Amino acid sequence: MKPSHRTLQVAFLTALLFVLTACGGHTEKEQRSSAAFGGVHVSYLDTGKKDAQTLVFIHGWSSDTSFWRFQVSEFSRDYRVLVLDLPGFGRSGKPQDVAYTMRFFAGAVQAVLADAGVQNPVLIGHSMGYAIVRQYLIDYPGTVKAVVNVDGAHFQIPPTLEEKKKFEDMVAAMLAAHEGPNREAAVRGFVETTFYGRTAPELQKEIMATVFTADPYAATSSLREMLRMEQWEERSFEVPSLAIYAKNKNLPPNHGDYLRTVFPNLTYVEWDDIGHHIMLEVPTRFNAVMRDYLESLPR
């Protein structure tokens, strides 16, 4: 039977689509690389201008590289952009016999930078990702151009023994819930508190779905390690820093002043109309502030 004109049109369009997909530039999958770190593969996206300043995006707890998608599309036009899946999350290896400490994660970041041949990067960390950036500054001093802190987890050590005990008891109860038979409810409740009643419902669903794809062991271990009090011993870093926070009832009123004791060269921004996932909720506003900051840095 002779093929109809309609059939020939469909066949031609299908073939054209295949050619364009195969030849029309790099896809995220094609740009993916993998760095070896202590027997674990660390998956990362490497895109943008290879001869430009490198921006390294580090996701938060139980997240993955997709949380930075609006920044990849924006900043890859003018910068080299690396976005990694931390070990235990996303497409990276998920060992079950390690403690997911901030130092472990910082080592994974360094492995990615070494694999990509990057020096003097700008490190951008969201939530737990900021705690990892902080640890990186401790372990690899003098190797970072600047830091961007996106609603980062930063804890002030309680001043009295009584308050320290109260904090430790609260953490122990949280971890017990995350490891118990009602883990799903505990995780859901924990994540819901980060929306601050402002995050759009559809975005809430996406964030929650991603969190529940995370490896439970890696999620609980990393939460435990991030909340260790010794993780937050007082330190000061001279590296230039931008901090963007979502104002909420749990954020100390003097948070900007306190962070300036940690980062004396700090630009501090606080918004009261968004939830914790700033880069996903108001990407245009976030990208504009970050771009202005990056352009202000010495060349």
Side-chain angles (χ1 to χ4, degrees), residues 267-294:
T267 300
Y268 185 80
V269 179
E270 202 173 280
W271 293 327
D272 62 3
D273 60 340
I274 51 171
H276 176 58
H277 298 81
I278 298 173
M279 66 286 192
L280 285 171
E281 297 185 42
V282 288
T284 301
R285 192 199 314 176
F286 173 84
N287 291 349
V289 170
M290 195 170 116
R291 180 174 286 279
D292 285 347
Y293 177 75
L294 293 171

Side-chain angles (χ1 to χ4, degrees), residues 125-286:
H126 172 245
S127 193
M128 184 183 76
Y130 161 74
I132 296 165
V133 169
R134 181 180 177 276
Q135 186 65 51
Y136 191 96
L137 295 176
I138 295 170
D139 293 346
Y140 307 96
T143 63
V144 173
K145 184 179 183 68
V147 164
V148 179
N149 167 1
V150 187
D151 215 46
H154 194 120
F155 301 95
Q156 300 181 38
I157 295 178
T160 68
L161 289 176
E162 182 181 357
E163 289 175 307
K164 287 178 181 176
K165 179 66 164 55
K166 184 177 180 181
F167 178 78
E168 288 173 343
D169 289 346
M170 179 191 71
V171 170
M174 177 191 297
L175 292 171
H178 279 239
E179 295 176 310
N182 296 319
R183 178 182 185 273
E184 182 175 342
V187 171
R188 186 173 298 280
F190 176 64
V191 176
E192 285 175 348
T193 65
T194 70
F195 299 146
Y196 310 147
R198 304 167 187 155
T199 305
E202 287 304 310
L203 185 55
Q204 289 187 30
K205 292 178 183 178
E206 177 195 332
I207 293 166
M208 197 71 74
T210 302
V211 167
F212 278 108
T213 65
D215 179 80
Y217 173 79
T220 303
S221 178
S222 59
L223 186 61
R224 176 186 294 107
E225 298 300 331
M226 181 180 66
L227 294 174
R228 288 190 188 279
M229 205 172 297
E230 57 268 28
Q231 171 69 35
W232 300 102
E233 294 178 0
E234 298 292 337
R235 290 180 179 270
S236 181
F237 307 96
E238 294 301 320
V239 62
S241 176
L242 167 67
I244 304 176
Y245 274 83
K247 187 173 183 178
N248 66 89
K249 64 181 181 180
N250 297 316
L251 194 67
N254 65 337
H255 191 57
D257 294 335
Y258 170 71
L259 280 182
R260 285 189 179 90
T261 68
V262 182
F263 292 94
N265 189 1
L266 174 70
T267 300
Y268 185 80
V269 179
E270 202 173 280
W271 293 327
D272 62 3
D273 60 340
I274 51 171
H276 176 58
H277 298 81
I278 298 173
M279 66 286 192
L280 285 171
E281 297 185 42
V282 288
T284 301
R285 192 199 314 176
F286 173 84

Side-chain angles (χ1 to χ4, degrees), residues 27-84:
T27 66
E28 178 176 329
K29 182 178 180 182
E30 291 169 333
Q31 293 167 336
R32 281 268 173 176
S33 299
S34 182
F37 172 63
V40 180
H41 76 274
V42 183
S43 178
Y44 68 96
L45 174 67
D46 183 356
T47 188
K49 300 176 68 174
K50 294 297 185 288
D51 58 347
Q53 173 66 56
T54 301
L55 311 181
V56 182
F57 292 89
I58 305 169
H59 65 74
W61 182 76
S62 292
S63 305
D64 59 27
T65 57
S66 69
F67 281 44
W68 296 113
R69 60 185 179 272
F70 298 119
Q71 288 65 55
V72 172
S73 60
E74 169 68 19
F75 291 102
S76 61
R77 293 178 295 173
D78 305 297
Y79 296 89
R80 184 177 183 184
V81 172
L82 299 184
V83 196
L84 67 147

